[in-house]
Amino acid sequence: MKLSEKRVARAKARIPQEDFAGARYDTDNPGALAKIIIILSSPRSGSTFLCDLFHINGICLPHEYFQPQEYLPLLADRWGCRKGEDLDGEAYVQALTRYRTSSDGTLGINLHGSHLAGFLHFEPLLAGLPVDFVVVQRRDIIAQAISHEIAGQTQRWSSAFASSGKPEYRFDAILARVRNLQRQNLLTQAFANARGGAAADISYEDLVADTEQTLRKIPAFANLADIQIGTRLKRQGSDLNSQWKRQFAEECLSRNDLMEFGSKGMARVLHKIRGR
């Protein structure tokens, strides 16, 4: 993986210090890595909220450590994991273990479906350790896609990021987000199945509606006497999200290119009925 000065500078400019990738969240734990918790997710699925809940409850600090656009270049540079303009993958995993492992040896990783292709190259360096999987998805994928599109346009990925510009409704862009999220969900589920690990399956909607009971479905939280749920993050949804959701839903139903397979199928059914 190439880590040019330009790429690193771009990452530093985009990621605020308040983000979990900030140096303030680095620890220095040279002890042995004992366990890995992998959150399998997609953008705007509530995974950052979940990561914060892991953190404030003292379990570990999961984050998108293998996100190749900004987080991995930023962290690799700060942790000295570059050989010229190349990433030293082994040094990166060693640094990740040292600076982001909890005192009891637990490392948390938040993997979107889009991170998996890159993560597979690092996975052998983490082999032989027990892994707990948490699969988090959002039932309302239209709302998720709209949230993703707004964040993509404004670059406000969480409440730690400043907004840059006013978002503009674009049907085709939201539809592309829906399809991308469906693909990411497929990949994360396939990864969990392929690794054969027992996964705790939770939804964004349940996590927001009943945070404590939803967290207790996750082994790391199950036996905690008192679960803290007051996170530093603020919800970002607004009336604009609801407006776009209605507009997108109505437009979906008016698009012949989306409805066509249903129309043809119904035409065949009616033809058969009339021929009887």
Side-chain angles (χ1 to χ4, degrees):
M1 181 179 182
K2 292 293 182 182
L3 295 179
S4 66
E5 291 294 340
K6 182 177 180 180
R7 187 172 187 178
V8 171
R10 177 177 173 272
K12 289 180 178 179
R14 287 196 170 193
I15 304 301
Q17 280 298 311
E18 294 77 16
D19 187 89
F20 283 148
R24 70 178 67 184
Y25 293 105
D26 287 352
T27 59
D28 192 357
N29 181 23
L33 178 59
K35 181 180 180 180
I36 301 173
I37 296 174
I38 295 181
I39 298 171
L40 294 166
S41 62
S42 57
R44 320 308 290 176
S45 64
S47 64
T48 302
F49 176 41
L50 180 59
C51 289
D52 197 25
L53 290 165
F54 268 94
H55 176 58
I56 65 174
N57 282 282
I59 298 168
C60 60
L61 179 52
H63 197 35
E64 297 171 40
Y65 298 120
F66 295 94
Q67 188 254 51
Q69 288 81 18
E70 289 94 18
Y71 289 131
L72 196 156
L74 176 70
L75 295 171
D77 179 72
R78 187 168 77 236
W79 294 339
C81 305
R82 297 169 65 191
K83 290 181 178 179
E85 292 198 346
D86 292 319
L87 171 69
D88 185 336
E90 186 172 352
Y92 182 74
V93 170
Q94 290 173 350
L96 176 62
T97 300
R98 177 173 181 174
Y99 295 116
R100 292 305 175 106
T101 298
S102 65
S103 58
D104 69 351
T106 302
L107 172 65
I109 301 169
N110 181 14
L111 286 177
H112 292 345
S114 57
H115 305 165
L116 282 170
F119 176 73
L120 293 177
H121 295 287
F122 295 91
E123 190 180 18
L125 300 172
L126 297 167
L129 293 163
V131 180
D132 283 349
F133 292 103
V134 181
V135 178
V136 56
Q137 295 187 0
R138 194 163 174 170
R139 286 193 288 266
D140 191 341
I141 200 168
I142 293 176
Q144 183 181 1
I146 288 169
S147 177
H148 194 201
E149 176 62 17
I150 291 173
Q153 289 191 38
T154 63
Q155 292 298 295
R156 193 164 192 251
W157 298 103
S158 76
S159 55
F161 288 71
S163 181
S164 59
K166 183 178 179 180
E168 177 185 349
Y169 175 85
R170 297 192 297 246
F171 176 86
D172 289 337
I174 296 171
L175 182 60
R177 300 274 189 188
V178 170
R179 290 168 171 161
N180 177 274
L181 291 169
Q182 289 172 329
R183 182 182 174 192
Q184 292 202 47
N185 288 341
L186 171 65
L187 290 171
T188 53
Q189 194 67 60
F191 182 77
N193 291 347
R195 295 300 175 265
D201 290 287
I202 64 172
S203 74
Y204 163 84
E205 288 82 358
D206 292 342
L207 187 62
V208 170
D210 194 342
T211 304
E212 181 172 349
Q213 288 306 309
T214 303
L215 289 175
R216 291 204 180 276
K217 297 178 182 179
I218 301 171
F221 288 91
N223 296 319
L224 292 183
D226 183 28
I227 294 179
Q228 303 298 314
I229 60 174
T231 82
R232 67 184 180 87
L233 299 173
K234 300 176 182 178
R235 292 187 67 180
Q236 294 180 264
S238 67
D239 290 342
L240 182 65
N241 295 64
S242 300
Q243 177 187 329
W244 282 21
K245 183 178 174 180
R246 288 191 298 271
Q247 187 173 349
F248 180 81
E250 290 170 359
E251 194 167 349
C252 276
L253 297 179
S254 68
R255 290 277 296 255
N256 290 333
D257 57 330
L258 292 179
M259 299 288 283
E260 190 175 55
F261 71 92
S263 299
K264 287 183 177 180
M266 182 58 70
R268 284 193 293 270
V269 170
L270 292 174
H271 179 73
K272 289 180 179 178
I273 292 173
R274 289 166 183 160
R276 289 178 181 174

